Amino acid sequence: MRLLPILLVSAALPLTTLGLAACGSPDRQNSRIAAPASTPGLSRAEIEGGVPAPEATPDTAVSGHAVEAPDPAVGTPPDAGLIRLQILLDRTAFSPGQIDGLRGSNTRQAIEAWRKANGREDEAFTEADLIQALAGVDSTPVLSDYVISAADVAGPFSPPPTDDLSAQAELGAHYSTALEALAERFHISESLLQLLNPGVDFKTAGVKIMVPAVTQATLPEVARIDVSKAEKAIRAYDASGKLIAFYPATIGSGDNPSPSGDVKVNGVAREPDYVFDPAKLSFGKGPKVTVPAGPNNPVGAVWIDLDRPSYGIHGTPDPTKIGKTASHGCVRLTNWDAQELAAAVKPGVMVHFR
């Protein structure tokens, strides 16, 4: 992609020539952890027939209002029923983010958004009912087999991203391992993919593995996007005002907040280069650096350019962090959610930040 100074980015330009300046270097801690060697309770049959275990009742605040349950602690085992439910949600446009089998805020909000969009907000509508409703639309198994190919293990691969943008500019922004590439292809955390396939060497071609049977939803044309900083979420609406999609997101921070009010989409840049230019930013210092396109580029696989200089909606090199950390003002989604949304937006779409 040809790079353009940020002030020259315009919706009037062909989308293939859109450039961008850095919205900020994201948090880059490597959150990927090794999985145990066994998978108790995660057999194919248990997942295909699973129903999520009931959520623990949260403590009650002093005021008497319920407190939202926290995200699960490190080491919490995945739930077979939640894996099934997350895969079924992933097939819709109401995304749980990364499939991990854990009951976190991303999945809770995706469920709430689906219920609202489908008129099923009554308390009697359980998660078992939700699974039945989703399976009624797509009854194919939630798991499938995949044979690791020679291309999967051949790369190219790059070192894991770090804070050193100059090094990444030189070494590239490809996936770091075949495991990472496969996990992202199937929208699953690396640790859960390992749990589903104990003892598998993901560097070996010809090995058959069990993966989520995910599909990319196709959205109707998006007319408006609502970005909620408080909920760390994006909602997309069609021209009639109908809610058609939900995505968990990482949105701004106290030091580098996202915009407020209304902005518009300028256009979409797929597989963008990433330009860190302190002269055009309110943070950071050092030389101008260009990191080449790649899924582990700081803005991931796609950039939805907004008409506020250096702000956009984009992908991420670390989907485990979506909805859990802050950004430098931009709106960050998993690569697959950002690509799904990008396919349905056009220049001029209104984006409301609140």
Side-chain angles (χ1 to χ4, degrees), residues 27-329:
D27 45 76
R28 293 163 175 270
Q29 300 173 26
N30 193 330
S31 61
R32 304 174 181 106
I33 56 175
S38 59
T39 56
L42 294 182
S43 70
R44 186 186 294 265
E46 287 167 314
I47 293 172
E48 291 289 359
V51 174
E55 184 168 14
T57 303
D59 294 332
T60 302
V62 175
S63 63
H65 297 292
V67 176
E68 182 178 335
D71 282 354
V74 174
T76 301
D79 177 275
L82 275 173
I83 295 171
R84 181 187 182 194
L85 178 54
Q86 288 173 340
I87 295 171
L88 289 170
L89 283 168
D90 181 273
R91 293 174 177 177
T92 74
F94 295 84
S95 171
Q98 191 176 61
I99 296 164
D100 58 10
L102 302 176
R103 190 181 287 283
S105 57
N106 292 347
T107 298
R108 290 189 200 99
Q109 290 190 117
I111 292 171
E112 291 169 6
W114 186 95
R115 284 162 58 101
K116 182 174 183 178
N118 290 275
R120 301 310 306 264
E121 296 179 90
D122 53 293
E123 293 184 3
F125 188 78
T126 66
E127 289 182 349
D129 295 327
L130 175 57
I131 285 177
Q132 185 174 3
L134 293 171
V137 175
D138 186 344
S139 61
T140 57
V142 297
L143 297 172
S144 62
D145 292 326
Y146 177 80
V147 178
I148 299 175
S149 70
D152 292 327
V153 301
F157 300 112
S158 300
T162 69
D163 287 325
D164 188 348
L165 290 178
S166 296
Q168 193 176 27
E170 180 179 348
L171 298 171
H174 304 291
Y175 292 117
S176 300
T177 63
L179 171 62
E180 181 190 3
L182 290 165
E184 181 145 319
R185 179 184 302 180
F186 297 105
H187 306 178
I188 187 174
S189 70
E190 292 178 37
S191 57
L192 182 55
L193 184 58
Q194 289 174 296
L195 279 170
L196 295 180
N197 300 279
V200 166
D201 180 359
F202 291 89
K203 300 186 295 294
T204 303
V207 174
K208 184 169 71 174
I209 58 175
M210 184 167 64
V211 298
V214 295
T215 56
Q216 198 83 348
T218 300
L219 299 183
E221 185 172 319
V222 171
R224 176 171 62 90
I225 297 170
D226 182 84
V227 181
S228 172
K229 301 175 189 178
E231 295 176 301
K232 297 182 179 179
I234 279 184
R235 290 173 173 81
Y237 299 84
D238 66 12
S240 71
K242 179 183 178 182
L243 176 62
I244 56 175
F246 166 90
Y247 304 108
T250 291
I251 307 170
S253 68
D255 294 332
N256 296 285
S258 295
S260 295
D262 294 331
V263 299
K264 291 183 179 179
V265 171
N266 275 336
V268 173
R270 292 175 174 82
E271 298 185 2
D273 293 318
Y274 172 90
V275 182
F276 177 76
D277 188 353
K280 296 183 173 68
L281 300 170
S282 60
F283 59 90
K285 58 183 179 179
K288 181 178 178 180
V289 177
T290 299
V291 178
N296 277 352
N297 177 304
V299 293
V302 66
W303 169 272
I304 301 173
D305 192 56
L306 304 180
D307 66 355
R308 188 74 61 88
S310 81
Y311 286 102
I313 301 171
H314 61 84
T316 180
D318 192 351
T320 64
K321 295 277 176 58
I322 293 300
K324 313 300 180 186
T325 57
S327 75
H328 283 289

